[in-house]
């Protein structure tokens, strides 16, 4: 039975939802096992290290880029009609939103995707932060914050088409993108071997990136057989999470589509991985000030993610894999905002990660104590 037959039997919407569920489950499982997180990579990089966290993020990013560009180069994927390339984009939104998202990512101790993954492992800090992020994102998209988002988005825009494609801007094609992806993948493998992260974690990190490319490929193929218009897209969390939450609250039925299956799929995949590896554990807030930090960070990410056109995965990896100009600008701004926020916070409190246990690390008390002593020794040196 081929895909065209499945579209005829089940309908494009049902098939998209089922595919989103399966891809989301794989993404969630791989992300939980590898501990994929941009925030962790940023902190490690800002401390002058290229260790396991940077290696994991680079493996994911490179795998997404190399695979997506290979599919495009061989004529198996066409992303020219994807929102990140075809529609008019906002450079100001990418910069301002990226900076806000990066800062919020440090404060909330996890990006949008990481919060969703960790919610499934029993982390109540991540769950509450994710809900706040989702509500703010919805308010930024269609609610009280939408005028502010639209005003900032219109400050500096770029037309859709070749103007938003980095490869086209340098008069190159997917072949260059493929070679760059393979080069970054090789660098990630070198870093992974040096950090001794192990084959299971390394393969899971690559698996996260492959799921991003799988999302692009799946939605494109369905769009070729569906009688109804299908948007070619891949994994993102800020907008889909907001739509999923609002759909559950405001409607007795949620319209089916790729995003409909994606969010619960990621949660289910993360939950299964956590149960299988023994990582499921209920965790909550330990103090009032620490809770405020998470909530402020989630608010910044909710607004910043909608302004930037996506989260650390939606813009940074999914959009980056197809070399969308605004996605790369947003990703660079996220790195800059996160590094600046981390360094400023450390300078003020004279410590690293002492405001509470990291939402994304699952560190034990002993590990936290060791990390604190290491940081204080570095400052004294």
């Amino acid at each position: 039975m081929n895909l065209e037959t499945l579209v005829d039997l089940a309908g494009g919407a049902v098939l998209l939802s089922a595919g989103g569920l399966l891809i989301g489950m794989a993404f969630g499982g791989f992300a939980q096992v590898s501990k994929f997180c941009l925030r962790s990579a940023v902190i490690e990089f800002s401390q002058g290290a290229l260790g396991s966290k940077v290696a994991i993020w680079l493996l994911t990013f490179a795998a997404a880029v190399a695979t997506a560009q290979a599919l495009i180069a061989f004529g198996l994927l066409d992303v020219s009609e994807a929102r990140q390339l075809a529609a008019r984009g906002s450079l100001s939104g990418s910069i301002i939103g990226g900076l806000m998202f990066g800062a919020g990512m440090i404060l909330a101790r996890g990006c949008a995707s990481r919060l969703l993954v960790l919610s499934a492992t029993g982390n109540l800090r991540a769950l509450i932060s994710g809900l706040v992020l989702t509500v703010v994102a919805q308010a930024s998209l269609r609610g009280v914050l939408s005028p502010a988002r639209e005003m900032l988005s219109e400050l500096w825009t770029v037309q859709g088409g070749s103007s938003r494609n980095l490869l086209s801007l340098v008069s190159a094609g997917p072949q260059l993108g493929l070679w760059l992806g393979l080069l970054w993948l090789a660098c990630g493998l070198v870093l992974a071997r040096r950090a001794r992260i192990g084959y299971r974690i390394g393969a899971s990190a690559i698996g996260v990136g492959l799921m991003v490319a799988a999302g692009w490929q799946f939605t494109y193929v369905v769009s070729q057989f569906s009688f109804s218009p299908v948007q070619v897209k891949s994994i993102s969390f800020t907008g889909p999470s907001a739509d999923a939450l609002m759909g559950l609250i405001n409607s007795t039925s949620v319209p089916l589509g790729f995003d409909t299956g994606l969010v619960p799929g990621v949660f289910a995949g993360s939950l299964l991985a956590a149960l299988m590896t023994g990582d499921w554990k209920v965790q909550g807030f330990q103090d009032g000030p620490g809770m405020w930090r998470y909530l402020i960070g989630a608010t910044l990410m909710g607004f910043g993610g909608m302004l930037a056109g996506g989260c650390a995965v939606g813009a940074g990896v999914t959009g980056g894999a197809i070399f969308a100009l605004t996605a790369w600008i947003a990703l660079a701004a996220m790195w800059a905002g996160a590094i600046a926020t981390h360094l400023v916070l450390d300078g003020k409190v004279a410590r690293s990660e002492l405001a509470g246990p990291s939402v994304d690390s699952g560190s034990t008390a002993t590990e936290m104590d060791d990390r604190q002593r290491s940081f204080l020794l570095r400052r004294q040196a």
Side-chain angles (χ1 to χ4, degrees):
M1 182 179 296
N2 57 31
L3 188 59
E4 185 175 6
T5 304
L6 287 175
V7 170
D8 291 337
L9 292 176
V14 173
L15 187 60
L16 281 171
S17 182
L21 179 67
L22 294 176
I23 291 174
M25 289 183 66
F27 180 97
F30 287 138
Q32 170 57 24
V33 172
S34 65
K35 303 296 187 290
F36 165 75
C37 179
L38 177 58
R39 170 191 171 271
S40 297
V42 167
I43 290 177
E44 189 175 74
F45 181 82
S46 67
Q47 295 173 342
L50 295 176
S52 61
K53 302 301 182 183
V54 173
I56 289 170
W57 185 87
L58 186 56
L59 286 175
T60 294
F61 182 75
V65 171
T67 307
Q69 292 301 310
L71 291 170
I72 296 172
F74 287 103
L76 300 174
L77 171 63
D78 182 4
V79 294
S80 60
E81 296 302 317
R83 171 185 59 84
Q84 293 92 332
L85 294 176
R88 185 166 66 101
S90 172
L91 299 176
S92 57
S94 298
I95 296 171
I96 300 171
L99 290 171
M100 293 179 66
F101 191 95
M105 183 172 61
I106 295 297
L107 292 171
R109 302 183 185 276
C111 66
S113 63
R114 191 60 184 155
L115 293 179
L116 178 58
V117 169
L118 286 166
S119 298
T121 69
N123 194 315
L124 300 181
R125 299 189 300 272
L127 177 61
I128 298 300
S129 300
L131 289 174
V132 171
L133 185 157
T134 300
V135 171
V136 173
Q138 182 66 20
S140 304
L141 180 62
R142 301 186 181 93
V144 66
L145 296 177
S146 62
R149 176 186 59 80
E150 292 171 359
M151 182 270 293
L152 293 173
S153 297
E154 293 297 325
L155 293 177
W156 187 13
T157 62
V158 60
Q159 293 300 316
S162 59
S163 299
R164 289 191 70 180
N165 190 323
L166 274 174
L167 295 177
S168 297
L169 289 175
V170 297
S171 300
Q175 293 78 13
L176 175 60
L178 172 58
W179 282 112
L180 288 174
L182 292 175
L183 175 61
W184 295 329
L185 183 61
C187 292
L189 291 172
V190 171
L191 292 179
R193 182 172 182 179
R194 183 185 302 171
R196 299 179 180 179
I197 66 173
Y199 291 108
R200 182 173 68 96
I201 294 177
S204 296
I206 292 175
V208 175
L210 292 178
M211 290 306 103
V212 171
W216 281 120
Q217 177 69 9
F218 174 72
T219 56
Y220 170 71
V221 172
V222 173
S223 72
Q224 300 303 294
F225 296 105
S226 177
F227 294 106
S228 302
V230 172
Q231 182 182 5
V232 180
K233 59 168 61 178
S234 188
I235 298 173
S236 186
F237 292 100
T238 310
S241 296
D243 288 339
L245 179 61
M246 292 303 105
L248 292 173
I249 294 174
N250 296 325
S251 177
T252 56
S253 61
V254 179
L256 295 179
F258 182 77
D259 293 338
T260 310
L262 176 66
V263 174
V266 172
F267 187 92
S270 306
L271 175 61
L272 289 174
L275 292 174
M276 292 175 63
T277 58
D279 290 335
W280 197 92
K281 179 183 178 181
V282 176
Q283 301 178 60
F285 294 103
Q286 296 184 350
D287 53 57
M291 183 175 182
W292 276 110
R293 170 180 173 135
Y294 288 97
L295 298 182
I296 293 172
T299 300
L300 288 173
M301 281 196 292
F303 184 81
M306 295 308 300
L307 180 59
C311 61
V313 171
V317 181
T318 296
I322 59 173
F323 285 87
L325 172 64
T326 49
W328 278 74
I329 293 175
L331 178 60
M334 288 175 191
W335 274 83
I339 290 175
T341 303
H342 176 67
L343 294 178
V344 168
L345 288 178
D346 283 344
K348 285 187 175 182
V349 301
R351 64 196 180 194
S352 174
E353 311 243 37
L354 299 185
S358 170
V359 77
D360 61 52
S361 64
S363 301
T364 63
T366 301
E367 290 171 337
M368 290 297 295
D369 291 340
D370 291 340
R371 201 180 308 166
Q372 294 166 16
R373 284 193 294 270
S374 174
F375 180 82
L376 293 175
L377 286 174
R378 287 198 304 271
R379 287 184 59 86
Q380 293 171 359

